[in-house]
Amino acid sequence: MSDVALRMEHIYKKFRKGEIYNSLRDFLPAMTGKMFRGQELNVNDKREFWALHDISFEVKHGESLGIIGKNGAGKSTALKILSRIMRPTKGQMIVNGRLSALIEVTAGFHPDLTGMENIFLHGTILGMSKREIQSKVDQIIAFSGIEEFIDTPVKRYSSGMYARLGFSVAAHVDAEVLVVDEVLSVGDYVFQQRCMERIRSVIKAGTTVLFVSHNLKSVTEICGRAMLLEHGKAVTIGETDAVIRKYLDAGNPVEIPEENKPAYISSVKVRDRAGEQSTFESGSTAWVDVEVTAREAVEKLAVVIWFEDETQYIIFDTSTERLGYTPFSLQPGGIYRCTFELTLNIAHGTFHLCIAIHRYDIEKSYDRREPATTIFIGSTTAVRGAVNCFPRLVESGTVAPSTQPCEV
């Protein structure tokens, strides 16, 4: 048996913009309207575009591959072809094993049916037998967390409850290949963590996973390899951290230093002992290497670094001068390098590292990079917020009520 779970070989997918007429009923009114507007009827060639262009990759059994890229890059189209929702225009696709797709997790739900009835309906659509659904129905309901409302028609559910039930059914399909497209953001924080744990457990059990998401932190946690798509083409495929760095660098290109800047930030790198990284565990050590280049003579400078969360709230801020180092001066063409050692006692999340060159005595900023790069923090401890205090529960238990009478 081949060790390849799925493979795409030179896949192309073509679409057309605008209207497509599949029947005489649609064509005649459109033709009449175009005649009155004086438009040409045969403009199909001008409206064609390629959503996927020569995509080739393979994923082995038990491997997890992330697919990242901007909106419109072709990520969802690739997954729909793999899921056999649509056919490629050209190319060959091979899937070895039973495939399940977490794409539209509530597709197939009937609003007038109860949650319980929709479990059987949705499970059947996903390829589960009645006996298989019956054996797992209690697990599905418990995972969704909506036991109290399972006999209520789903049209009365909130959008979160609707999505939770859909994910719960789809996540319990015994698939050899699992395709996941932006569905791990359903529900509240606790349920999202439960979804992540479920995906990790199916990977650990040997299921092959293809994961599409704009949440790069989730991609780093789930996937060993990643593929970057851009305008329907595979830019790079490789180790997840390296692919994400390439994606971030493309989204935040290094600015060409303005010629009127006397000094500018010429290089920023974040690394661990193994080399440049974008993913770290909470509590681990990171080193930030900063290089400053001068065009003119400058003096009394300091390098400032700070972290911002995804809401641009500053959670950490320091500088070479605040750490006790004498401000530095440079002559034209001179280079200054420094390295900050940081202990990342930061909670699980995505954080942006920003850098500035500043002169404190006259409060002048020479250059700023906001952000200079982005890092992702993972944690095995269930904490929320910006800081990880590494909590431990050292004592727990109930206390018997006092039997002493209350004094009046």
Side-chain angles (χ1 to χ4, degrees), residues 26-91:
D26 295 332
F27 179 71
L28 288 176
M31 181 178 65
T32 304
K34 288 178 181 290
M35 289 175 62
F36 280 111
R37 292 193 297 269
Q39 295 178 354
E40 294 183 14
L41 296 179
N42 188 19
V43 293
N44 287 340
D45 291 341
K46 298 177 182 179
R47 294 187 285 128
E48 292 178 350
F49 74 98
W50 294 93
L52 294 177
H53 189 278
D54 197 17
I55 301 297
S56 298
F57 67 90
E58 68 177 30
V59 186
K60 296 183 178 180
H61 286 288
E63 189 180 10
S64 54
L65 177 74
I67 303 179
I68 62 175
K70 297 179 181 178
N71 288 329
K75 304 183 300 297
S76 294
T77 301
L79 292 197
K80 287 177 181 177
I81 289 174
L82 281 168
S83 305
R84 299 187 178 92
I85 295 173
M86 60 175 63
R87 293 181 178 178
T89 306
K90 291 192 295 182

Side-chain angles (χ1 to χ4, degrees), residues 292-319:
V292 177
T293 302
R295 281 201 180 88
E296 304 173 8
V298 288
E299 59 182 6
K300 299 182 180 179
L301 302 184
V303 174
V304 185
I305 67 169
W306 68 98
F307 278 117
E308 295 178 354
D309 64 14
E310 292 188 283
T311 65
Q312 296 185 321
Y313 181 80
I314 297 175
I315 64 166
F316 167 80
D317 186 333
T318 192
S319 70

Side-chain angles (χ1 to χ4, degrees), residues 120-180:
F120 282 86
L121 174 62
H122 193 45
T124 302
I125 292 172
L126 293 175
M128 299 171 71
S129 66
K130 184 177 180 180
R131 180 178 296 178
E132 188 179 358
I133 298 171
Q134 288 173 333
S135 67
K136 296 181 178 181
V137 68
D138 291 338
Q139 300 173 44
I140 293 170
I141 295 171
F143 189 90
S144 70
I146 57 172
E147 298 95 328
E148 187 178 351
F149 306 98
I150 200 64
D151 293 318
T152 302
V154 297
K155 64 184 178 183
R156 298 193 175 96
Y157 283 11
S158 68
S159 58
M161 293 167 65
Y162 208 77
R164 285 166 67 139
L165 185 60
F167 181 92
S168 300
V169 177
H172 284 81
V173 177
D174 288 332
E176 294 168 282
V177 179
L178 183 64
V179 175
V180 184

Side-chain angles (χ1 to χ4, degrees), residues 54 84 197 272 356 369-370:
D54 197 17
R84 299 187 178 92
E197 287 302 319
D272 61 10
R369 296 263 293 272
E370 300 180 83

